[in-house]
Amino acid sequence: MYILNIETATKNCSVALAKDGTTIFCKEIAEQGYSHAEKLHVFIEEIIKEAGISMTDLAAIAVSQGPGSYTGLRIGVSTAKGLCYALGIPLVAVDTLASLANQIDLENGLIVPMIDARRMEVYSAIFNSKKEMIREVQAEVLTEDSFSSFSETIYFVGDSNEKAKTVLTKSNFVFLDQFIFPSAKQMSALSFQKFQQNNFEDVAYFEPYYLKDFMFAK
């Protein structure tokens, strides 16, 4: 059973084909200038061709729902919805920060995936070592007191690490700089789980998770 996973919430334009929850093909590129509009459809066509299947073999389309770049999310969601309409298959939405957290494996400690917003703002969530979300996604301004209530080792991942290091200096903070962007590869298990639960989105009305209410709250 094939699911096509699309991740465009950050600078990484990423597409992965999964079979029964396991990634079998992935194409992605992270460029300084967003190239999602040019690359996304090309990657989809190339992956389908390399896999030796047709679009009609897909059981669902999964898309990264945000938070993240407004433009990137619009491109990914519009593409996913268009494919679902055309193929008559369900749409699965995967939390962007969950797929970013899914890149690392821990025995102990907490995972804090962060996506750069503006200035010292980030989109973040907190996951335990079992990849269970223990604090919901939110937009926040990083300060010296951020995450100070936690005594466990906290592992930070994402494209905000460099600016986060300037204020997050406590001894239990660890920055894993090799994990920068969310990838469609890490969506595969998450989207398959949602598919098995029939956890689908309404293709007509689904919108990305922009976190605008948080960003512009007074």
Side-chain angles (χ1 to χ4, degrees):
M1 192 270 290
Y2 296 102
I3 295 178
L4 187 72
N5 298 276
I6 296 172
E7 166 57 69
T8 57
T10 65
K11 292 177 182 176
N12 193 28
C13 180
S14 180
V15 179
L17 180 67
K19 184 175 183 180
D20 298 330
T22 301
T23 299
I24 55 174
F25 289 95
C26 180
K27 287 184 178 291
E28 57 188 359
I29 184 169
E31 295 182 322
Q32 201 58 35
Y34 286 83
S35 58
H36 302 8
E38 296 81 19
K39 302 290 187 182
L40 183 55
H41 289 280
V42 174
F43 285 173
I44 292 171
E45 291 174 4
E46 290 177 348
I47 278 181
I48 295 299
K49 183 177 180 180
E50 289 176 17
I53 65 172
S54 68
M55 295 296 290
T56 55
D57 291 317
L58 297 175
I61 306 292
V63 67
S64 181
Q65 69 181 19
S69 157
Y70 180 90
T71 302
L73 288 170
R74 292 302 298 178
I75 292 170
V77 169
S78 296
T79 299
K81 291 171 73 169
L83 290 172
C84 289
Y85 270 126
L87 298 169
I89 56 178
L91 174 68
V92 177
V94 175
D95 183 276
T96 305
L97 292 170
S99 62
L100 181 53
N102 221 36
Q103 294 187 28
I104 64 174
D105 293 313
L106 299 177
E107 291 187 7
N108 299 290
L110 302 174
I111 307 167
V112 175
M114 296 191 298
I115 292 175
D116 193 23
R118 57 180 182 178
R119 300 185 183 91
M120 289 305 291
E121 287 183 292
V122 298
Y123 304 125
S124 68
I126 302 176
F127 296 80
N128 62 22
S129 59
K130 297 178 182 178
K131 312 291 177 62
E132 298 165 335
M133 186 181 288
I134 62 171
R135 197 210 70 190
E136 293 294 319
V137 177
Q138 66 182 50
E140 62 186 309
V141 176
L142 294 177
T143 70
E144 293 178 356
D145 295 323
S146 298
F147 310 105
S148 60
S149 61
F150 296 94
S151 59
E152 303 97 319
T153 301
I154 298 180
Y155 297 89
F156 294 94
V157 296
D159 62 356
S160 301
N161 273 8
E162 286 308 310
K163 72 179 184 182
K165 289 176 186 176
T166 63
V167 292
L168 302 181
T169 57
K170 290 184 169 54
S171 59
N172 60 317
F173 294 167
V174 178
F175 293 89
L176 301 179
D177 295 335
Q178 66 269 43
F179 303 105
I180 303 172
F181 298 117
S183 170
K185 287 181 287 189
Q186 274 72 41
M187 292 175 63
S188 297
L190 299 172
S191 60
F192 183 63
Q193 182 181 36
K194 283 197 164 187
F195 183 88
Q196 290 181 308
Q197 297 167 347
N198 292 321
N199 189 349
F200 305 135
E201 303 297 330
D202 187 311
V203 176
Y205 297 104
F206 175 73
E207 289 290 331
Y209 186 34
Y210 295 122
L211 272 186
K212 272 191 169 184
D213 291 341
F214 292 101
M215 287 287 289
F216 298 105
K218 295 293 184 181

